[in-house]
Amino acid sequence: MTGREKVEAIVHNWIEIDLSALRHNFAEIKRRAGAGVEIIPVVKNNAYGHGAPIIAGELVRLGVRTLAVSKMDEALTLRRGGINLPLLVLSGLEGNEYGDALEHNFMPVVFSPDQIEVCNMVGRDRDRRFPVHVKFDTGMGRLGFMISEIDKIIEVLRKSPYVQVDGVMTHFADADNRSSTHILEQLTCFERIIKILKSEGIFPGRIHASNSAAFFLFPQSHFNAVRPGLALYGPAHFAPDLKPVMSFKSRILQVKDIPAGHSVGYGRTFIAPRAMRIAVVSAGYGDGYFRCLSNKAEVIIRGVRCPIVGRVSMNLLTVDVSHVPDVVPDDEVVLLGSQGHECIGADELAEKAGTISYEIYCRLGANPLKRIVKFTGEEE
Ligand SMILES: *Cc1c(COP(=O)(O)O)cnc(C)c1O
């Protein structure tokens, strides 16, 4: 092998990204936001595993002005992928990232006086104002200033002429709970913060608080900008009319008949109660599928739901296809997504796996070497 030969290999499992579903979800969000509310899509963690440059590229075409990522390296990945919008860095900047961030038009979220001072110094060196989003912890107990610190922050901002407050923000702890009163307390606190800043002559710029759940369930949380992530990628209990963007698919390697009493997979967790037909599928926990879905989840083959039997292995899993006629090796298997009239959503897998749809997307989308991405819905 010189390394120059063209090596062909069959792809055994892959995710598909449906950009027309993304467009649908964005349009739904836009319609509900109404005029005057800016949408700042969250594309952190490689767009929740969907592929940040591609998702961001589509959102740029749909007219967004700013995107949010978690860290500076994600922002750089987007720049290298040709995304030229201002990028909001939700987890803030560290160490020596500030200079390059300003050059690249990245806006950090700031949550300590030191960060504001560094931005001011870096801005002064370059004779440019450094845009920042000031984050308040109104009840999430994570990043952000406490309201008790507001006098100090106002003082620091006054002494930082090279810092431009481009936005003021907070984040909700309990927004997907329709009957939450905690979110109402957070809103009251946030409104008070905005009022104090304004009365002290600090123009807050873009005021934003809503993640997807708050956006759909609590319209009073919209202010003049919103930060949806999940809702762009798929339906959730608070927004069922959205469409899933990601599918995860694989193929059958072997179809076999086993007699009653034969066990399937590691640990012999499944013993055939009768003669059965088993399909061996070319995907496992090494490909991002959850091992805890062993003997729990279903897949779709030939438009029919088939239960996983036995343990999910690293790169294989086994399903009962006794009730599906004509199953043969190489048949397509849908582990997440739809086929025919059946659909397996991320929420369904998440509930069975004891997690949330976010983690399903992040894991299935985590390993670019183990899958190809097919783009569907390009036309239209
Ligand atoms: C991830 C994140 C969001 C988006 O949350 P979703 O629930 O996916 O809509 C918004 N704001 C912040 C600060 C985040 O970290």
Side-chain angles (χ1 to χ4, degrees):
M1 289 276 289
T2 65
R4 253 183 281 133
E5 293 98 320
K6 189 162 178 252
V7 180
E8 297 282 355
I10 299 292
V11 174
H12 284 261
N13 56 73
W14 64 95
I15 61 170
E16 288 179 14
I17 301 298
D18 182 353
L19 291 178
S20 70
L22 178 71
R23 288 194 287 273
H24 168 88
N25 298 342
F26 184 79
E28 274 300 301
I29 293 169
K30 209 169 158 139
R31 184 174 64 75
R32 282 165 203 255
V37 177
E38 184 184 345
I39 296 160
I40 304 175
V42 178
V43 294
K44 67 190 178 196
N45 199 74
N46 200 23
Y48 295 38
H50 290 65
I54 303 295
I55 296 291
E58 190 65 25
L59 291 166
V60 170
R61 283 189 283 282
L62 294 172
V64 307
R65 292 201 298 128
T66 302
L67 293 162
V69 295
S70 179
K71 303 188 183 77
M72 170 103 168
D73 64 323
E74 299 174 335
L76 287 170
T77 301
L78 285 180
R79 278 290 176 273
R80 290 186 196 114
I83 304 298
N84 296 316
L85 301 183
L87 298 173
L88 180 62
V89 183
L90 294 171
S91 296
L93 298 173
E94 289 176 88
N96 55 9
E97 292 175 339
Y98 288 84
D100 288 340
L102 181 57
E103 299 292 339
H104 277 104
N105 217 353
F106 300 159
M107 298 177 290
V109 168
V110 291
F111 41 85
S112 86
D114 297 356
Q115 291 173 322
I116 297 173
E117 280 161 9
V118 174
C119 287
N120 188 52
M121 270 159 37
V122 169
R124 186 193 305 131
D125 287 348
R126 287 167 175 73
D127 197 27
R128 252 178 82 186
R129 294 187 80 196
F130 206 140
V132 302
H133 285 229
V134 184
K135 184 163 188 177
F136 285 89
D137 172 9
T138 57
M140 175 70 174
R142 231 170 50 177
L143 294 180
F145 294 106
M146 302 296 287
I147 191 170
S148 55
E149 299 173 277
I150 196 158
D151 292 339
K152 164 121 181 99
I153 298 147
I154 290 166
E155 194 191 313
V156 175
L157 286 173
R158 285 216 177 104
K159 285 194 213 142
S160 307
Y162 286 93
V163 169
Q164 180 218 340
V165 178
D166 187 83
V168 177
M169 62 188 284
T170 192
H171 195 47
F172 299 123
D174 199 21
D176 59 356
N177 171 3
R178 264 171 224 276
S179 53
S180 174
T181 53
H182 187 256
I183 187 171
L184 304 179
E185 287 163 28
Q186 285 196 263
L187 272 169
T188 305
C189 179
F190 190 51
E191 280 157 2
R192 235 182 98 207
I193 288 163
I194 300 297
K195 209 168 141 198
I196 296 170
L197 292 175
K198 282 182 176 166
S199 72
E200 295 290 328
I202 292 169
F203 179 68
R206 290 184 263 182
I207 304 169
H208 48 105
S210 301
N211 58 1
S212 299
F215 177 78
F216 281 92
L217 298 183
F218 299 91
Q220 69 270 44
S221 70
H222 289 185
F223 299 96
N224 63 17
V226 293
R227 302 187 307 270
L230 185 71
L232 292 164
Y233 308 110
H237 65 91
F238 49 80
D241 49 351
L242 302 176
K243 294 184 180 170
V245 175
M246 181 192 289
S247 304
F248 182 57
K249 300 183 180 177
S250 182
R251 297 200 175 280
I252 295 177
L253 291 175
Q254 186 180 13
V255 179
K256 68 200 306 177
D257 293 311
I258 60 170
H262 200 75
S263 69
V264 179
Y266 286 122
R268 308 189 70 227
T269 59
F270 183 83
I271 312 272
R274 60 194 124 75
M276 292 178 93
R277 179 161 291 177
I278 299 291
V280 184
V281 179
S282 193
Y285 61 80
D287 304 299
Y289 200 74
F290 283 64
R291 184 173 176 274
C292 61
L293 292 173
S294 302
N295 291 306
K296 278 193 188 159
E298 294 175 328
V299 305
I300 313 170
I301 297 170
R302 294 191 174 242
V304 181
R305 279 179 175 257
C306 305
I308 292 176
V309 292
R311 288 244 173 94
V312 172
S313 324
M314 191 179 290
N315 301 108
L316 296 172
L317 57 82
T318 34
V319 297
D320 174 12
V321 291
S322 308
H323 57 303
V324 191
D326 306 327
V327 174
V328 290
D330 210 37
D331 275 356
E332 187 172 280
V333 180
V334 174
L335 298 102
L336 172 74
S338 50
Q339 193 189 62
H341 299 294
E342 290 292 348
C343 178
I344 293 174
D347 277 335
E348 174 182 331
L349 291 186
E351 199 186 319
K352 288 180 176 166
T355 181
I356 50 176
S357 54
Y358 299 73
E359 195 182 1
I360 301 282
Y361 293 137
C362 288
R363 279 248 225 138
L364 291 178
N367 194 343
L369 298 177
K370 279 277 176 191
R371 43 87 168 159
I372 56 166
V373 180
K374 286 188 185 171
F375 296 98
T376 55
E378 295 280 23
E379 66 293 314
E380 194 191 19

